[in-house]
Amino acid sequence: MTMDEGDANVRKTFKPYKEPFTITKTTQVSAYAERSGEKSSIATANFYRRPNHWSIDVKPTAYPQYTAGGKLALIDGINGAVNWRKGEWVGYWGQDFEAVIDMQSPQQITKLSSTYLQDSKAWILMPKKVEYYVSMNGKDFILMKTVDNTVDPKDETVQIKDFAAEILPTEARYVKVKAYFFGKLPEWHQGAGGDAYIFVDEISVK
């Protein structure tokens, strides 16, 4: 059985699998096996259609445990949840985050944003600031906006913050995002002296 956004009010039932099928949009696929009248539990998987054809180049190397399946997770339109242990966030340890998005052709931009997570007890802190740059050739970048962090590093609430920046309509093909990691954990932290993580998920260009 498949369910996509257009099936929200449609009554659907399971049908026997006889041949391969094609999905062309974000879809949830559910299936079970049956033999001699006995049914297995239902297995469900979500398949997401990317909202763009952009490519992305990321400068730092993600921490091996926190890759979210690869760098395309940063521009796939899927937002990470507060429960970061589900694996939806890309984590970087002891280094600044820098990524360049190629939108394949010049686009008019009015808003730039990227989303970060803080779980202070787990050494994951908001970046000190995030900078947004644009370019037409991928080499010469112009700084458009700097967004400073407003979340207290001592706040132990697990939380998400969107570092969003409104800009005047600007045409560009490339967007660079640079987030500066917190640095060494301070004396008041249980991991004092260790490096903080940056956890980033979705980068949005509108």
Side-chain angles (χ1 to χ4, degrees):
M1 180 171 65
T2 61
M3 294 285 289
D4 57 42
E5 294 177 345
D7 295 329
N9 298 313
V10 178
R11 182 178 178 84
K12 302 198 76 174
T13 58
F14 285 92
K15 61 182 181 181
Y17 177 80
K18 296 180 179 179
E19 59 184 3
F21 59 94
T22 301
I23 55 177
T24 58
K25 58 184 74 174
T26 297
T27 304
Q28 183 181 80
V29 180
S30 300
Y32 68 87
E34 182 176 356
R35 182 173 61 183
S36 302
E38 293 189 21
K39 296 181 179 180
S40 71
S41 58
I42 296 173
T44 299
N46 294 306
F47 297 86
Y48 298 94
R49 182 177 176 85
R50 281 180 57 198
N52 53 62
H53 298 286
W54 303 345
S55 63
I56 183 169
D57 182 38
V58 182
K59 190 174 181 180
T61 301
Y63 198 75
Q65 288 178 268
Y66 312 119
T67 64
K71 60 186 181 182
L72 289 177
L74 297 169
I75 52 172
D76 63 2
I78 306 169
N79 294 301
V82 172
N83 181 7
W84 55 268
R85 291 176 177 83
K86 292 166 60 179
E88 298 168 333
W89 294 82
V90 186
Y92 301 90
W93 182 53
Q95 54 189 326
D96 297 331
F97 168 77
E98 184 175 316
V100 175
I101 296 170
D102 180 357
M103 297 182 290
Q104 308 302 321
S105 64
Q107 307 287 329
Q108 183 162 285
I109 302 166
T110 58
K111 184 177 181 181
L112 300 161
S113 67
S114 50
T115 308
Y116 303 84
L117 178 137
Q118 177 162 303
D119 184 350
S120 183
K121 288 183 178 179
W123 298 27
I124 305 167
L125 295 176
M126 293 292 177
K128 292 185 293 186
K129 63 179 180 179
V130 178
E131 296 173 343
Y132 295 103
Y133 301 78
V134 298
S135 170
M136 286 296 286
N137 60 15
K139 297 178 182 178
D140 305 306
F141 284 87
I142 300 171
L143 176 63
M144 299 301 293
K145 211 69 172 279
T146 299
V147 183
D148 294 318
N149 176 45
T150 57
V151 178
D152 186 346
K154 291 184 178 180
D155 189 342
E156 296 183 348
T157 305
V158 183
Q159 57 193 292
I160 295 168
K161 176 177 173 61
D162 187 13
F163 284 65
E166 302 276 353
I167 63 172
L168 293 173
T170 303
E171 190 171 87
R173 171 174 170 173
Y174 299 87
V175 172
K176 180 192 290 185
V177 181
K178 187 168 184 179
Y180 293 81
F181 89 108
F182 182 84
K184 299 290 184 182
L185 296 166
E187 292 182 359
W188 52 260
H189 195 279
Q190 60 186 1
D195 287 321
Y197 287 91
I198 279 182
F199 268 40
V200 56
D201 178 33
E202 199 62 21
I203 300 172
S204 174
V205 182
K206 297 181 180 179

